[in-house]
Amino acid sequence: FDNGKYAVGQGEKVLENEFHLSYPFTFEKNNDTYMIPENNKNGCWLYKLELKNTNGNSHLEAKKIKKLLSGFATDPTLISFEGFDYLFVSRLIYESQYVLNVFISSNIIKEDCKPHPQSPLIVDVNLGRSAGRIFFDEKTKSIIRPSQICENSYGEGIAFSELKLSPKSIVIKQLNDKFITPRNYREFKKVHHIDKFRNLTVLDFVR
Protein backbone atom coordinates (compact mmCIF):
# COMPACT_ATOMS: atom_id res chain seq x y z
CA PHE A 1 0.00 0.00 0.00
CA ASP A 2 1.14 3.56 -0.67
CA ASN A 3 -0.92 6.41 0.82
CA GLY A 4 -4.06 4.30 0.77
CA LYS A 5 -3.53 3.09 -2.80
CA TYR A 6 -2.62 -0.45 -3.75
CA ALA A 7 -0.35 -1.64 -6.54
CA VAL A 8 -0.86 -4.87 -8.50
CA GLY A 9 2.42 -6.53 -9.46
CA GLN A 10 3.21 -8.97 -12.25
CA GLY A 11 3.98 -12.49 -11.07
CA GLU A 12 6.56 -15.04 -12.19
CA LYS A 13 5.95 -18.79 -12.27
CA VAL A 14 8.42 -20.62 -10.03
CA LEU A 15 6.60 -23.90 -9.37
CA GLU A 16 4.10 -26.09 -11.20
CA ASN A 17 2.75 -29.60 -10.68
CA GLU A 18 -0.45 -31.58 -11.22
CA PHE A 19 -1.92 -30.51 -7.86
CA HIS A 20 -3.53 -27.29 -6.70
CA LEU A 21 -0.89 -24.71 -5.72
CA SER A 22 -1.54 -21.58 -3.65
CA TYR A 23 -0.53 -19.74 -0.49
CA PRO A 24 3.23 -19.65 -1.30
CA PHE A 25 4.52 -19.00 2.23
CA THR A 26 8.15 -17.82 2.12
CA PHE A 27 10.70 -17.37 4.90
CA GLU A 28 14.41 -16.77 5.40
CA LYS A 29 16.77 -19.00 7.36
CA ASN A 30 20.59 -18.86 7.49
CA ASN A 31 20.64 -16.28 4.66
CA ASP A 32 18.65 -18.57 2.33
CA THR A 33 15.03 -18.18 1.23
CA TYR A 34 12.54 -21.04 1.41
CA MET A 35 8.93 -21.63 0.45
CA ILE A 36 6.17 -23.89 1.80
CA PRO A 37 3.18 -23.66 -0.56
CA GLU A 38 -0.26 -25.13 -0.14
CA ASN A 39 -0.34 -28.16 -2.45
CA ASN A 40 -3.70 -29.81 -1.82
CA LYS A 41 -3.64 -33.57 -1.11
CA ASN A 42 0.01 -33.72 -2.22
CA GLY A 43 0.96 -32.81 1.35
CA CYS A 44 3.31 -30.17 2.64
CA TRP A 45 6.69 -29.72 0.91
CA LEU A 46 9.70 -27.52 1.61
CA TYR A 47 11.36 -25.72 -1.32
CA LYS A 48 14.47 -23.57 -1.53
CA LEU A 49 14.18 -20.49 -3.74
CA GLU A 50 17.27 -19.86 -5.85
CA LEU A 51 18.04 -16.95 -8.16
CA LYS A 52 19.23 -18.22 -11.56
CA ASN A 53 20.55 -16.39 -14.59
CA THR A 54 19.66 -17.55 -18.11
CA ASN A 55 20.90 -15.62 -21.13
CA GLY A 56 21.37 -12.54 -19.03
CA ASN A 57 17.90 -12.75 -17.47
CA SER A 58 17.47 -13.41 -13.76
CA HIS A 59 14.64 -15.62 -12.55
CA LEU A 60 13.63 -17.61 -9.48
CA GLU A 61 13.58 -21.40 -9.32
CA ALA A 62 12.06 -23.57 -6.60
CA LYS A 63 14.25 -26.52 -5.61
CA LYS A 64 12.42 -29.30 -3.75
CA ILE A 65 14.12 -30.07 -0.43
CA LYS A 66 11.88 -32.52 1.42
CA LYS A 67 8.36 -33.50 2.38
CA LEU A 68 7.30 -32.04 5.70
CA LEU A 69 3.82 -33.51 6.19
CA SER A 70 1.38 -35.87 4.54
CA GLY A 71 -2.32 -35.22 4.11
CA PHE A 72 -4.48 -32.39 2.82
CA ALA A 73 -2.26 -29.52 4.02
CA THR A 74 -3.98 -26.13 3.91
CA ASP A 75 -2.44 -22.67 4.49
CA PRO A 76 0.96 -23.76 5.92
CA THR A 77 2.43 -20.90 7.97
CA LEU A 78 5.75 -20.93 9.82
CA ILE A 79 7.10 -18.83 12.67
CA SER A 80 10.49 -19.17 14.34
CA PHE A 81 10.46 -18.24 18.02
CA GLU A 82 13.03 -18.73 20.79
CA GLY A 83 14.93 -21.51 19.04
CA PHE A 84 11.98 -23.47 17.66
CA ASP A 85 10.10 -23.53 14.37
CA TYR A 86 6.31 -23.71 14.68
CA LEU A 87 4.36 -24.80 11.59
CA PHE A 88 0.64 -24.01 11.59
CA VAL A 89 -1.35 -25.97 8.99
CA SER A 90 -5.06 -26.63 8.62
CA ARG A 91 -7.03 -29.79 7.85
CA LEU A 92 -4.48 -32.58 7.11
CA ILE A 93 -6.25 -35.83 8.15
CA TYR A 94 -9.51 -34.18 9.21
CA GLU A 95 -12.66 -33.60 7.16
CA SER A 96 -12.99 -29.99 8.30
CA GLN A 97 -10.74 -27.32 6.81
CA TYR A 98 -11.04 -25.35 10.06
CA VAL A 99 -8.99 -27.75 12.19
CA LEU A 100 -5.75 -25.95 13.07
CA ASN A 101 -2.76 -28.28 13.55
CA VAL A 102 0.61 -27.17 14.92
CA PHE A 103 3.96 -28.90 14.43
CA ILE A 104 7.29 -28.08 16.05
CA SER A 105 10.94 -28.57 15.07
CA SER A 106 14.30 -27.37 16.36
CA ASN A 107 15.25 -26.70 12.73
CA ILE A 108 12.66 -27.31 10.01
CA ILE A 109 15.34 -27.41 7.31
CA LYS A 110 17.34 -30.23 8.89
CA GLU A 111 15.04 -31.90 11.39
CA ASP A 112 11.60 -33.56 11.23
CA CYS A 113 8.42 -31.81 12.33
CA LYS A 114 6.62 -33.37 15.27
CA PRO A 115 3.07 -32.65 16.43
CA HIS A 116 2.93 -30.05 19.18
CA PRO A 117 1.50 -31.48 22.44
CA GLN A 118 -1.57 -29.25 21.98
CA SER A 119 -2.19 -30.14 18.35
CA PRO A 120 -4.81 -29.91 17.01
CA LEU A 121 -5.04 -26.50 18.61
CA ILE A 122 -8.52 -25.34 17.67
CA VAL A 123 -11.52 -25.94 15.41
CA ASP A 124 -13.05 -22.59 14.46
CA VAL A 125 -14.45 -20.98 11.29
CA ASN A 126 -12.70 -17.69 12.10
CA LEU A 127 -9.42 -18.95 13.57
CA GLY A 128 -8.88 -22.33 11.92
CA ARG A 129 -7.33 -21.15 8.64
CA SER A 130 -4.27 -18.92 8.48
CA ALA A 131 -4.43 -15.68 6.51
CA GLY A 132 -0.77 -14.73 6.19
CA ARG A 133 2.50 -14.32 8.02
CA ILE A 134 2.54 -14.47 11.81
CA PHE A 135 4.36 -11.34 13.01
CA PHE A 136 5.67 -9.61 16.12
CA ASP A 137 3.88 -6.39 16.98
CA GLU A 138 6.42 -3.93 18.38
CA LYS A 139 3.73 -1.73 19.90
CA THR A 140 2.10 -4.43 22.03
CA LYS A 141 5.19 -6.67 22.24
CA SER A 142 3.10 -9.67 21.22
CA ILE A 143 2.94 -12.32 18.49
CA ILE A 144 0.01 -11.71 16.12
CA ARG A 145 -1.55 -14.33 13.84
CA PRO A 146 -3.94 -13.38 11.00
CA SER A 147 -6.72 -15.87 10.20
CA GLN A 148 -9.52 -16.10 7.66
CA ILE A 149 -13.03 -15.12 8.69
CA CYS A 150 -15.34 -17.68 7.07
CA GLU A 151 -18.34 -17.56 9.39
CA ASN A 152 -20.83 -16.62 6.67
CA SER A 153 -18.82 -17.00 3.47
CA TYR A 154 -15.32 -17.64 2.15
CA GLY A 155 -13.23 -14.48 1.92
CA GLU A 156 -15.42 -12.58 4.38
CA GLY A 157 -12.46 -10.95 6.12
CA ILE A 158 -9.39 -11.35 8.32
CA ALA A 159 -9.24 -11.74 12.10
CA PHE A 160 -6.20 -11.25 14.34
CA SER A 161 -5.18 -13.24 17.40
CA GLU A 162 -2.43 -13.03 19.97
CA LEU A 163 -0.22 -16.11 20.38
CA LYS A 164 1.86 -17.28 23.31
CA LEU A 165 4.25 -20.01 22.15
CA SER A 166 6.34 -22.60 23.92
CA PRO A 167 7.30 -26.22 23.16
CA LYS A 168 4.80 -27.40 25.78
CA SER A 169 1.87 -25.03 25.37
CA ILE A 170 0.21 -22.61 22.97
CA VAL A 171 -2.33 -19.98 23.97
CA ILE A 172 -4.41 -18.29 21.26
CA LYS A 173 -6.54 -15.24 22.11
CA GLN A 174 -8.72 -13.60 19.49
CA LEU A 175 -8.42 -9.80 19.37
CA ASN A 176 -11.09 -7.24 18.58
CA ASP A 177 -9.15 -6.08 15.49
CA LYS A 178 -10.70 -7.33 12.25
CA PHE A 179 -10.63 -6.50 8.56
CA ILE A 180 -14.08 -7.09 7.09
CA THR A 181 -14.69 -6.74 3.36
CA PRO A 182 -17.21 -3.90 3.00
CA ARG A 183 -20.43 -4.69 1.16
CA ASN A 184 -20.64 -3.33 -2.39
CA TYR A 185 -17.02 -2.20 -2.15
CA ARG A 186 -15.89 -1.35 -5.67
CA GLU A 187 -12.18 -2.18 -5.18
CA PHE A 188 -12.58 -5.85 -4.21
CA LYS A 189 -15.20 -8.38 -3.09
CA LYS A 190 -13.30 -10.91 -0.98
CA VAL A 191 -10.02 -11.01 0.94
CA HIS A 192 -8.00 -14.11 1.83
CA HIS A 193 -4.49 -13.16 2.84
CA ILE A 194 -2.50 -10.27 4.27
CA ASP A 195 1.28 -10.28 4.59
CA LYS A 196 3.56 -7.66 6.09
CA PHE A 197 7.26 -8.18 5.42
CA ARG A 198 9.82 -5.46 6.07
CA ASN A 199 8.34 -2.33 4.44
CA LEU A 200 5.89 -4.18 2.19
CA THR A 201 2.23 -5.01 2.81
CA VAL A 202 0.61 -7.48 0.40
CA LEU A 203 -3.12 -8.22 0.15
CA ASP A 204 -4.68 -11.15 -1.72
CA PHE A 205 -8.20 -10.36 -2.92
CA VAL A 206 -10.91 -11.04 -5.52
CA ARG A 207 -12.10 -8.07 -7.54
Side-chain angles (χ1 to χ4, degrees):
F1 286 108
D2 184 12
N3 295 324
K5 302 291 184 180
Y6 63 83
V8 180
Q10 294 297 318
E12 178 181 328
K13 185 184 294 184
V14 297
L15 181 63
E16 186 175 21
N17 60 37
E18 65 270 28
F19 299 95
H20 164 86
L21 280 164
S22 64
Y23 201 91
F25 183 85
T26 60
F27 65 97
E28 293 180 346
K29 204 171 186 67
N30 300 325
N31 297 318
D32 289 318
T33 302
Y34 297 89
M35 176 175 68
I36 307 175
E38 177 180 317
N39 204 189
N40 203 282
K41 61 183 179 181
N42 192 36
C44 194
W45 291 81
L46 175 69
Y47 294 85
K48 184 178 180 181
L49 295 178
E50 299 179 336
L51 189 62
K52 301 291 185 178
N53 190 291
T54 304
N55 299 324
N57 297 317
S58 297
H59 62 279
L60 281 175
E61 287 187 2
K63 178 183 178 182
K64 184 183 289 186
I65 302 298
K66 65 176 181 177
K67 190 170 189 176
L68 298 172
L69 302 169
S70 297
F72 205 118
T74 303
D75 307 324
T77 305
L78 182 78
I79 179 172
S80 298
F81 181 69
E82 295 186 344
F84 290 93
D85 294 328
Y86 297 84
L87 180 62
F88 290 73
V89 56
S90 302
R91 191 171 176 176
L92 287 181
I93 63 173
Y94 300 97
E95 289 295 324
S96 173
Q97 62 180 311
Y98 304 115
V99 178
L100 181 59
N101 306 275
V102 187
F103 293 80
I104 188 170
S105 174
S106 58
N107 186 331
I108 198 168
I109 309 300
K110 299 179 181 180
E111 307 293 337
D112 292 336
C113 290
K114 297 181 179 180
H116 190 277
Q118 284 189 236
S119 184
L121 181 62
I122 199 170
V123 182
D124 192 286
V125 293
N126 294 332
L127 300 177
R129 292 193 57 177
S130 296
R133 191 178 307 277
I134 300 169
F135 61 92
F136 185 77
D137 184 5
E138 292 290 348
K139 183 180 292 186
T140 62
K141 303 300 180 183
S142 57
I143 301 171
I144 305 298
R145 174 182 175 263
S147 60
Q148 299 177 42
I149 298 175
C150 301
E151 186 171 356
N152 299 304
S153 64
Y154 178 75
E156 186 178 347
I158 296 175
F160 297 90
S161 300
E162 180 182 347
L163 289 178
K164 295 186 183 299
L165 299 173
S166 80
K168 293 184 178 180
S169 69
I170 297 177
V171 177
I172 182 168
K173 177 185 176 183
Q174 187 170 357
L175 303 176
N176 292 326
D177 303 277
K178 294 180 181 179
F179 180 87
I180 302 294
T181 308
R183 290 187 177 182
N184 302 319
Y185 188 48
R186 67 173 185 170
E187 296 293 344
F188 54 85
K189 299 177 182 178
K190 296 182 178 182
V191 63
H192 170 283
H193 186 121
I194 188 167
D195 195 350
K196 182 172 176 59
F197 183 66
R198 294 177 182 169
N199 62 335
L200 296 175
T201 299
V202 181
L203 189 67
D204 179 349
F205 59 85
V206 175
R207 299 192 71 176

Short mmCIF file of all heavy atoms in Angstrom, two decimals, residues 12-36:
data_model
loop_
_atom_site.label_atom_id
_atom_site.label_comp_id
_atom_site.label_asym_id
_atom_site.label_seq_id
_atom_site.Cartn_x
_atom_site.Cartn_y
_atom_site.Cartn_z
N GLU A 12 5.64 -14.19 -11.42
CA GLU A 12 6.56 -15.04 -12.19
C GLU A 12 6.38 -16.47 -11.71
O GLU A 12 6.38 -16.74 -10.51
CB GLU A 12 8.00 -14.57 -11.96
CG GLU A 12 9.04 -15.41 -12.65
CD GLU A 12 10.45 -14.91 -12.37
OE1 GLU A 12 10.62 -13.70 -12.19
OE2 GLU A 12 11.37 -15.74 -12.32
N LYS A 13 6.18 -17.40 -12.64
CA LYS A 13 5.95 -18.79 -12.27
C LYS A 13 7.26 -19.43 -11.81
O LYS A 13 8.25 -19.45 -12.53
CB LYS A 13 5.39 -19.57 -13.46
CG LYS A 13 5.00 -21.00 -13.14
CD LYS A 13 4.56 -21.75 -14.38
CE LYS A 13 3.28 -21.18 -14.94
NZ LYS A 13 2.79 -21.98 -16.11
N VAL A 14 7.23 -19.96 -10.57
CA VAL A 14 8.42 -20.62 -10.03
C VAL A 14 8.18 -22.10 -9.74
O VAL A 14 9.12 -22.86 -9.54
CB VAL A 14 8.93 -19.92 -8.75
CG1 VAL A 14 9.37 -18.50 -9.05
CG2 VAL A 14 7.87 -19.95 -7.67
N LEU A 15 6.90 -22.52 -9.72
CA LEU A 15 6.60 -23.90 -9.37
C LEU A 15 5.30 -24.32 -10.04
O LEU A 15 4.34 -23.56 -10.09
CB LEU A 15 6.46 -24.05 -7.84
CG LEU A 15 6.16 -25.44 -7.30
CD1 LEU A 15 7.29 -26.40 -7.61
CD2 LEU A 15 5.92 -25.37 -5.79
N GLU A 16 5.29 -25.56 -10.55
CA GLU A 16 4.10 -26.09 -11.20
C GLU A 16 4.09 -27.61 -11.04
O GLU A 16 5.11 -28.27 -11.21
CB GLU A 16 4.10 -25.71 -12.69
CG GLU A 16 2.82 -26.10 -13.43
CD GLU A 16 2.82 -25.59 -14.87
OE1 GLU A 16 3.92 -25.31 -15.41
OE2 GLU A 16 1.73 -25.47 -15.46
N ASN A 17 2.94 -28.16 -10.68
CA ASN A 17 2.75 -29.60 -10.68
C ASN A 17 1.28 -29.91 -10.91
O ASN A 17 0.48 -29.00 -11.16
CB ASN A 17 3.29 -30.25 -9.38
CG ASN A 17 2.62 -29.75 -8.13
OD1 ASN A 17 1.42 -29.48 -8.10
ND2 ASN A 17 3.41 -29.63 -7.05
N GLU A 18 0.91 -31.19 -10.85
CA GLU A 18 -0.45 -31.58 -11.22
C GLU A 18 -1.48 -31.30 -10.13
O GLU A 18 -2.68 -31.51 -10.33
CB GLU A 18 -0.50 -33.06 -11.60
CG GLU A 18 -0.20 -34.03 -10.47
CD GLU A 18 1.28 -34.37 -10.35
OE1 GLU A 18 2.13 -33.51 -10.74
OE2 GLU A 18 1.60 -35.46 -9.88
N PHE A 19 -1.02 -30.79 -8.97
CA PHE A 19 -1.92 -30.51 -7.86
C PHE A 19 -2.18 -29.01 -7.75
O PHE A 19 -1.46 -28.19 -8.29
CB PHE A 19 -1.34 -31.04 -6.55
CG PHE A 19 -1.12 -32.51 -6.52
CD1 PHE A 19 0.12 -33.05 -6.84
CD2 PHE A 19 -2.15 -33.38 -6.19
CE1 PHE A 19 0.33 -34.42 -6.81
CE2 PHE A 19 -1.95 -34.75 -6.15
CZ PHE A 19 -0.72 -35.27 -6.48
N HIS A 20 -3.22 -28.69 -7.01
CA HIS A 20 -3.53 -27.29 -6.70
C HIS A 20 -2.35 -26.65 -5.97
O HIS A 20 -1.80 -27.23 -5.03
CB HIS A 20 -4.79 -27.23 -5.83
CG HIS A 20 -4.99 -25.92 -5.14
ND1 HIS A 20 -5.64 -24.86 -5.74
CD2 HIS A 20 -4.64 -25.50 -3.90
CE1 HIS A 20 -5.68 -23.85 -4.90
NE2 HIS A 20 -5.10 -24.20 -3.77
N LEU A 21 -1.96 -25.45 -6.38
CA LEU A 21 -0.89 -24.71 -5.72
C LEU A 21 -1.39 -23.32 -5.35
O LEU A 21 -1.99 -22.63 -6.18
CB LEU A 21 0.34 -24.59 -6.62
CG LEU A 21 1.26 -25.80 -6.70
CD1 LEU A 21 2.19 -25.69 -7.90
CD2 LEU A 21 2.09 -25.94 -5.42
N SER A 22 -1.16 -22.92 -4.10
CA SER A 22 -1.54 -21.58 -3.65
C SER A 22 -0.77 -21.27 -2.37
O SER A 22 0.06 -22.05 -1.92
CB SER A 22 -3.06 -21.51 -3.41
OG SER A 22 -3.44 -22.37 -2.35
N TYR A 23 -1.06 -20.12 -1.78
CA TYR A 23 -0.53 -19.74 -0.49
C TYR A 23 0.99 -20.01 -0.40
O TYR A 23 1.47 -20.78 0.43
CB TYR A 23 -1.25 -20.53 0.61
CG TYR A 23 -1.17 -19.91 2.00
CD1 TYR A 23 -2.15 -19.02 2.44
CD2 TYR A 23 -0.15 -20.23 2.87
CE1 TYR A 23 -2.10 -18.46 3.71
CE2 TYR A 23 -0.08 -19.69 4.14
CZ TYR A 23 -1.06 -18.81 4.56
OH TYR A 23 -0.99 -18.27 5.82
N PRO A 24 1.78 -19.38 -1.27
CA PRO A 24 3.23 -19.65 -1.30
C PRO A 24 3.97 -18.97 -0.14
O PRO A 24 4.61 -17.94 -0.30
CB PRO A 24 3.66 -19.06 -2.64
CG PRO A 24 2.68 -17.94 -2.87
CD PRO A 24 1.38 -18.38 -2.26
N PHE A 25 3.90 -19.59 1.05
CA PHE A 25 4.52 -19.00 2.23
C PHE A 25 6.04 -19.05 2.11
O PHE A 25 6.63 -20.12 1.92
CB PHE A 25 4.07 -19.73 3.50
CG PHE A 25 4.63 -19.09 4.74
CD1 PHE A 25 3.99 -18.03 5.33
CD2 PHE A 25 5.81 -19.55 5.30
CE1 PHE A 25 4.50 -17.41 6.47
CE2 PHE A 25 6.33 -18.95 6.43
CZ PHE A 25 5.68 -17.88 7.02
N THR A 26 6.69 -17.90 2.23
CA THR A 26 8.15 -17.82 2.12
C THR A 26 8.75 -17.38 3.46
O THR A 26 8.11 -16.68 4.24
CB THR A 26 8.59 -16.84 1.03
OG1 THR A 26 8.09 -15.53 1.33
CG2 THR A 26 8.05 -17.28 -0.33
N PHE A 27 9.99 -17.79 3.69
CA PHE A 27 10.70 -17.37 4.90
C PHE A 27 12.21 -17.47 4.66
O PHE A 27 12.67 -18.14 3.74
CB PHE A 27 10.29 -18.23 6.10
CG PHE A 27 10.67 -19.68 6.00
CD1 PHE A 27 11.82 -20.17 6.60
CD2 PHE A 27 9.88 -20.57 5.29
CE1 PHE A 27 12.17 -21.51 6.50
CE2 PHE A 27 10.21 -21.92 5.19
CZ PHE A 27 11.36 -22.39 5.80
N GLU A 28 12.96 -16.77 5.49
CA GLU A 28 14.41 -16.77 5.40
C GLU A 28 15.01 -17.52 6.59
O GLU A 28 14.51 -17.41 7.70
CB GLU A 28 14.96 -15.35 5.38
CG GLU A 28 14.58 -14.57 4.12
CD GLU A 28 15.13 -13.16 4.13
OE1 GLU A 28 15.58 -12.69 5.20
OE2 GLU A 28 15.12 -12.50 3.07
N LYS A 29 16.06 -18.28 6.30
CA LYS A 29 16.77 -19.00 7.36
C LYS A 29 18.22 -19.18 6.94
O LYS A 29 18.49 -19.66 5.82
CB LYS A 29 16.11 -20.36 7.62
CG LYS A 29 16.36 -20.92 9.02
CD LYS A 29 15.50 -22.15 9.24
CE LYS A 29 15.59 -22.67 10.66
NZ LYS A 29 15.01 -21.76 11.66
N ASN A 30 19.15 -18.75 7.79
CA ASN A 30 20.59 -18.86 7.49
C ASN A 30 20.94 -18.25 6.15
O ASN A 30 21.68 -18.82 5.34
CB ASN A 30 21.04 -20.33 7.54
CG ASN A 30 20.80 -20.96 8.89
OD1 ASN A 30 20.92 -20.31 9.93
ND2 ASN A 30 20.44 -22.24 8.89
N ASN A 31 20.37 -17.07 5.87
CA ASN A 31 20.64 -16.28 4.66
C ASN A 31 20.13 -16.94 3.37
O ASN A 31 20.50 -16.52 2.28
CB ASN A 31 22.15 -16.00 4.51
CG ASN A 31 22.69 -15.15 5.64
OD1 ASN A 31 22.06 -14.19 6.07
ND2 ASN A 31 23.86 -15.52 6.15
N ASP A 32 19.30 -17.95 3.48
CA ASP A 32 18.65 -18.57 2.33
C ASP A 32 17.14 -18.34 2.42
O ASP A 32 16.60 -18.14 3.51
CB ASP A 32 18.95 -20.07 2.27
CG ASP A 32 20.39 -20.37 1.90
OD1 ASP A 32 20.93 -19.70 1.00
OD2 ASP A 32 20.98 -21.28 2.53
N THR A 33 16.47 -18.40 1.27
CA THR A 33 15.03 -18.18 1.23
C THR A 33 14.32 -19.48 0.86
O THR A 33 14.71 -20.17 -0.08
CB THR A 33 14.67 -17.09 0.20
OG1 THR A 33 15.35 -15.87 0.54
CG2 THR A 33 13.17 -16.81 0.20
N TYR A 34 13.28 -19.80 1.60
CA TYR A 34 12.54 -21.04 1.41
C TYR A 34 11.06 -20.76 1.19
O TYR A 34 10.56 -19.66 1.47
CB TYR A 34 12.72 -21.95 2.63
CG TYR A 34 14.14 -22.39 2.86
CD1 TYR A 34 15.01 -21.63 3.64
CD2 TYR A 34 14.63 -23.57 2.30
CE1 TYR A 34 16.32 -22.02 3.85
CE2 TYR A 34 15.94 -23.98 2.51
CZ TYR A 34 16.78 -23.20 3.29
OH TYR A 34 18.08 -23.60 3.49
N MET A 35 10.35 -21.77 0.71
CA MET A 35 8.93 -21.63 0.45
C MET A 35 8.21 -22.92 0.85
O MET A 35 8.71 -24.02 0.59
CB MET A 35 8.67 -21.34 -1.04
CG MET A 35 7.20 -21.28 -1.42
SD MET A 35 6.94 -20.78 -3.15
CE MET A 35 7.59 -22.22 -4.02
N ILE A 36 7.06 -22.77 1.50
CA ILE A 36 6.17 -23.89 1.80
C ILE A 36 4.80 -23.54 1.24
O ILE A 36 4.03 -22.85 1.88
CB ILE A 36 6.07 -24.15 3.32
CG1 ILE A 36 7.46 -24.30 3.95
CG2 ILE A 36 5.24 -25.41 3.58
CD1 ILE A 36 7.42 -24.43 5.47
#
